[in-house]
Amino acid sequence: MTETQILTLVTGGNRGMGLELVKQLSQAGQRVLMGSRNLDNGVAAVKQLGLTDDQVTVIQLDVTDPASVTQAAQTIENKFGYLTTLINNAGAVFDGRQAPSQVNLDDVRADFELNYFGLIDVTEKMIPLLEKSSQAKIINISSMMGSKTAALDPTTNVYQAVAVGYQSAKAAANMYTVQLAKEFQRRQQPITVNATDPGMIATAFGSGDPEKSKAMGALPIEDGVVRTMELATDFTNQATATFTNSDGAVGW
Ligand SMILES: NC(=O)c1ccc[n+]([C@@H]2O[C@H](COP(=O)([O-])OP(=O)(O)OC[C@H]3O[C@@H](n4cnc5c(N)ncnc54)[C@H](OP(=O)(O)O)[C@@H]3O)[C@@H](O)[C@H]2O)c1
């Protein structure tokens, strides 16, 4: 099959900011693939948005399960034969508020399985599909929590926050972003790779209560996808190896 339409995969697309991205990308005319580790949850989310099968296709995708990732890539290959944009959005925190001196290693491993190893596995398996597009992009949903600059700056919220496993996994994903971007540049391949920071957003992230986080200053979901939507709909596709939010560059 030849490339006919912008085709974007959003991992963890069934709720939170992933679902908002699915909604806004389909409104922008893109064909969207919603990765959802529970297929029924994904189907229900699409139904709730009132979107059609022509706008959104739900694909079972658990980013920590290599067989699921392989199968998802195979499904995209069979149905479409290419991919234009990969948005690595799936993420969670497992070691929130644990003291670094006593952090539970199983929780740190879980942070890395999802936010780092899973991101790499999905990316590697989708690259052959991205290479079939005339230009392609990978957007990694990172976090200011992964910024060492912010962690050392007393004027930021991140200064007070502690989730060393999650923060390290996001920092590692930032380095993967830089190195992968440089590899494509060296090979003169038209695939850009960027990281974005959504800000503090009122979702159920970390099993949180969106209403409580709103009361603590978290912003609405729509605000969290602004920078990612800018990149996802930027047809010049020049920016690469960046870490940005809606205010501009974020310190690594
Ligand atoms: N909320 C914030 O303030 C904030 C700030 C900075 C960065 N972020 C980042 O933004 C991204 C989205 O977060 P969010 O706030 O929208 O969180 P959320 O509402 O908790 O949504 C997380 C999504 O990830 C999915 N997911 C979890 N484990 C998965 C797995 N193994 N395989 C596939 N999908 C999986 C969830 O699916 P299920 O429904 O199956 O659990 C859900 O769709 C994350 O990468 C997060 O680190 C969030």
Side-chain angles (χ1 to χ4, degrees):
M1 195 183 281
T2 52
E3 179 188 351
T4 52
Q5 192 179 17
I6 293 177
L7 185 61
T8 299
L9 170 64
V10 183
T11 69
N14 58 290
R15 65 185 170 90
M17 283 185 271
L19 183 60
E20 182 64 23
L21 285 166
V22 168
K23 184 175 109 186
Q24 292 195 20
L25 290 165
S26 54
Q27 283 167 352
Q30 299 192 13
R31 177 87 202 240
V32 185
L33 306 174
M34 173 197 280
S36 180
R37 63 177 164 165
N38 178 308
L39 201 60
D40 292 343
N41 289 350
V43 171
V46 172
K47 207 169 161 190
Q48 211 173 3
L49 286 183
L51 296 169
T52 65
D53 288 349
D54 285 343
Q55 294 171 298
V56 181
T57 303
V58 185
I59 291 181
Q60 196 282 330
L61 178 53
D62 180 337
V63 307
T64 61
D65 175 0
S68 165
V69 181
T70 300
Q71 183 56 55
Q74 191 61 58
T75 302
I76 299 170
E77 168 69 40
N78 294 345
K79 273 197 179 159
F80 302 97
Y82 73 100
L83 186 65
T84 323
T85 304
L86 165 63
I87 303 183
N88 283 309
N89 165 75
V93 54
F94 297 91
D95 70 321
R97 295 189 196 87
Q98 294 182 25
S101 59
Q102 293 167 11
V103 67
N104 181 301
L105 259 189
D106 287 339
D107 291 340
V108 176
R109 287 192 180 98
D111 286 317
F112 270 82
E113 280 302 331
L114 175 55
N115 299 290
Y116 187 59
F117 300 127
L119 179 147
I120 294 179
D121 193 31
V122 173
T123 303
E124 287 187 349
K125 287 170 181 163
M126 296 302 160
I127 284 173
L129 291 159
L130 292 164
E131 286 176 332
K132 290 187 183 156
S133 288
S134 51
Q135 57 163 326
K137 54 184 86 175
I138 298 167
I139 305 171
N140 295 323
I141 309 301
S142 180
S143 172
M144 184 82 90
M145 289 281 280
S147 161
K148 288 189 281 296
T149 309
L152 288 164
D153 178 353
T155 66
T156 68
N157 289 334
V158 177
Y159 188 81
Q160 301 294 346
V162 185
V164 71
Y166 172 73
Q167 291 178 280
S168 303
K170 289 293 192 187
N174 284 351
M175 182 57 83
Y176 183 67
T177 302
V178 169
Q179 289 295 358
L180 185 62
K182 290 200 303 179
E183 182 184 341
F184 289 135
Q185 276 179 323
R186 269 194 306 273
R187 292 210 236 117
Q188 298 190 325
Q189 277 187 277
I191 306 178
T192 58
V193 193
N194 292 289
T196 60
D197 158 49
M200 200 172 120
I201 304 301
T203 64
F205 183 74
S207 307
D209 174 349
E211 289 312 313
K212 271 192 194 153
S213 30
K214 243 183 224 165
M216 288 165 62
L219 299 171
I221 284 194
E222 300 79 40
D223 292 27
V225 302
V226 169
R227 182 58 190 147
T228 300
M229 279 301 297
E230 279 172 3
L231 285 171
T233 55
D234 169 20
F235 299 111
T236 66
N237 207 24
Q238 293 299 308
T240 197
T242 68
F243 182 24
T244 55
N245 61 22
S246 46
D247 293 331
V250 179
W252 296 101

